[in-house]
Amino acid sequence: FKYRRLFFDRELLLRRPVRRKRMELRRFLVVCVPLMFSVVQSLPSGAPSIACDDMKPLHGVDPQGSGTGGYGMTHNMTAGYSPGKAYQISLTSSGDTFRGFFCQVRKVGGTDASSAVGQFVEGSFLPADKGTRLSSCTPPDIGVTHTSNADKTTRSFVWKAPSAGVGSVQIWCSFVKVKLIFWIHLKSEEIKQIGGGTGHPTTPTVSNLKK
């Protein structure tokens, strides 16, 4: 009987490390599976839905703390925008190319996707190389993003102002130079709502970017 008891105690001691390892494995899976999901979400096919509010790529590092990286936006709303009219917005670079982007037009003072207004018009994207798509937000046409991480120097698209008018707005964009170097929340100057206009003023002007 004593021998059997000693044998049983020995077996119990041997099993404890196995149980401990199983518990550690479970903890590892609980922590790492969400991280693996984030990595999947950060594929180079455009901003995922989780980025609709903060506009931050899921690249595992913080954005650049200052400056614009030489990136900016131009538009033809210098005099303001008229409700229901369509306007062109273009992304520009003063030197370096960019690989990714994500843009919305938000009401002044807005801080998340709930303040995004108007509609980006599918089919208006330039160059017409299928390098741009509507966002993964709800609804999709409140934003535009890239479809590949190929180097780019410009992108253009049409934004249609909300028919009811919402007061002053700003263009918000994030630019990705390379995976670990990117800028978020680059904003245009405030664009005022006006009562009239054709919706297609003359030459687009370079936005005075704010960080």
Side-chain angles (χ1 to χ4, degrees):
F1 178 77
K2 289 182 179 179
Y3 174 77
R4 291 178 62 187
R5 179 64 181 271
L6 289 172
F7 179 79
F8 176 78
D9 290 345
R10 181 174 176 273
E11 285 293 309
L12 186 62
L13 289 172
L14 289 173
R15 288 177 185 176
R16 282 178 181 173
V18 175
R19 290 177 182 174
R20 190 178 297 113
K21 288 180 180 179
R22 287 176 180 172
M23 290 179 67
E24 290 173 354
L25 178 60
R26 289 192 187 115
R27 292 193 188 106
F28 173 81
L29 292 174
V30 168
V31 172
C32 290
V33 166
L35 293 176
M36 292 168 64
F37 178 76
S38 294
V39 171
V40 172
Q41 286 281 64
S42 62
L43 293 173
S45 56
S49 59
I50 197 172
C52 291
D53 285 328
D54 62 12
M55 305 187 76
K56 181 180 178 181
L58 300 176
H59 292 177
V61 297
D62 290 331
Q64 300 300 298
S66 62
T68 66
Y71 306 120
M73 299 87 79
T74 66
H75 59 82
N76 55 354
M77 293 177 277
T78 313
Y81 78 90
S82 297
K85 301 296 184 180
Y87 299 89
Q88 181 171 301
I89 297 172
S90 297
L91 308 183
T92 63
S93 170
S94 62
D96 289 331
T97 57
F98 57 94
R99 294 185 176 179
F101 65 91
F102 179 35
C103 295
Q104 295 177 346
V105 177
R106 295 181 174 182
K107 293 183 288 187
V108 170
T111 58
D112 56 32
S114 67
S115 61
V117 295
Q119 300 169 302
F120 287 95
V121 181
E122 192 168 20
S124 68
F125 309 143
L126 295 173
D129 59 359
K130 299 183 180 180
T132 303
R133 67 172 175 84
L134 296 179
S135 72
S136 299
C137 306
T138 304
D141 57 11
I142 63 170
V144 284
T145 188
H146 59 282
T147 61
S148 78
N149 62 354
D151 289 335
K152 311 163 184 59
T153 56
T154 185
R155 278 293 184 272
S156 295
F157 25 80
V158 169
W159 173 75
K160 184 179 179 182
S163 57
V166 292
S168 296
V169 300
Q170 288 176 294
I171 305 166
W172 288 51
C173 288
S174 296
F175 288 86
V176 176
K177 179 179 179 180
V178 292
K179 182 176 181 179
L180 301 183
I181 303 176
F182 54 88
W183 289 258
I184 66 173
H185 299 172
L186 302 190
K187 307 175 199 175
S188 72
E189 78 286 355
E190 293 185 14
I191 303 168
K192 295 181 179 180
Q193 177 185 333
I194 55 177
T198 62
H200 297 281
T202 54
T203 306
T205 58
V206 177
S207 170
N208 298 314
L209 290 178
K210 298 179 180 179
K211 186 71 168 71

